[in-house]
Amino acid sequence: MDLKKLFEIQAGLDIHIEKEHPTKDGEERLYKKILALHVELGELANELPEVFKFWSNKKNNRKKALKEYVDCFHFILSIGNELYHRKQAHKLDINFEKNDKSILWHFNSLIATFSDLWNYGEIEETYGSVIKTFLDLGELIGFSYEEIEVAYLEKNQENHHRQLNGY
């Protein structure tokens, strides 16, 4: 997966959105992105009921889960671009060693990390581990890097189209 390319593509979408929906004085756009990411993580989890809905017999929906996963990825990349001012996010040191943590651990770790950013504003030092945790989550769900990148690019194109049509 070419993260540098994806950060750059996301920066293009972020610029397009900023043009269509300029940041207002005093607006906390970063925190809106974090809240949106939390919502998207919840939507992703809802497409994977076998992971956590111990009270239900519903089955995972892999196709819908991939769509929700790339929605999350858009916000994670956008947050990285904002934190690193669109110039340095692709230079992150990311350790791609495997870990033995569960899908539940990955979901909760992502939520906790972004909650910490919300509460303490300190994520710059750990953002690389966020990307790794997120990509590991995708692998645990069963998505390949190639599949994630293709789905991301398709959704990015759709997001640009939405901006052009008054979304």
Side-chain angles (χ1 to χ4, degrees):
M1 179 178 297
D2 186 347
L3 284 175
K4 179 180 179 183
K5 177 179 87 172
L6 295 180
F7 275 111
E8 290 170 358
I9 289 169
Q10 183 62 46
L13 178 60
D14 292 342
I15 289 166
H16 191 171
I17 291 170
E18 180 66 25
K19 181 180 175 186
E20 298 296 321
H21 306 279
T23 303
K24 297 174 180 79
D25 288 339
E27 180 181 357
E28 297 179 300
R29 182 74 51 108
L30 176 63
Y31 292 133
K32 288 181 177 182
K33 290 177 185 180
I34 293 169
L35 178 57
L37 174 60
H38 281 274
V39 170
E40 294 299 337
L41 283 167
E43 290 177 5
L44 171 59
N46 270 331
E47 297 304 335
L48 302 167
E50 293 174 68
V51 170
F52 75 101
K53 290 187 178 182
F54 57 87
W55 61 89
S56 175
N57 293 319
K58 290 183 178 181
K59 299 294 178 198
N60 293 345
N61 186 325
R62 188 179 190 287
K63 185 176 178 180
K64 287 183 179 179
L66 180 59
K67 288 181 179 192
E68 298 300 342
Y69 183 87
V70 298
D71 285 347
C72 293
F73 204 14
H74 274 84
F75 285 109
I76 287 175
L77 293 171
S78 182
I79 290 165
N81 280 334
E82 188 162 335
L83 289 172
Y84 294 96
H85 310 289
R86 294 192 174 106
K87 300 287 183 195
Q88 302 297 317
H90 67 275
K91 294 182 179 178
L92 293 168
D93 182 25
I94 301 171
N95 176 357
F96 283 97
E97 291 179 20
K98 295 285 184 192
N99 72 37
D100 60 354
K101 307 290 188 197
S102 71
I103 290 176
L104 289 171
W105 182 90
H106 283 79
F107 268 111
N108 286 306
S109 177
L110 288 165
I111 290 166
T113 300
F114 282 101
S115 293
D116 284 348
L117 172 61
W118 180 273
N119 291 322
Y120 307 111
E122 298 175 3
I123 195 172
E124 288 86 353
E125 301 81 20
T126 60
Y127 185 79
S129 67
V130 166
I131 294 288
K132 167 134 178 22
T133 300
F134 185 71
L135 294 175
D136 285 351
L137 174 63
E139 282 189 301
L140 286 169
I141 294 169
F143 305 141
S144 70
Y145 284 171
E146 179 182 354
E147 177 177 32
I148 292 166
E149 190 167 345
V150 167
Y152 172 85
L153 294 172
E154 288 173 358
K155 183 62 185 254
N156 189 274
Q157 189 174 40
E158 179 183 328
N159 286 340
H160 274 287
H161 181 72
R162 286 176 169 177
Q163 291 304 308
L164 292 171
N165 291 293
Y167 184 75

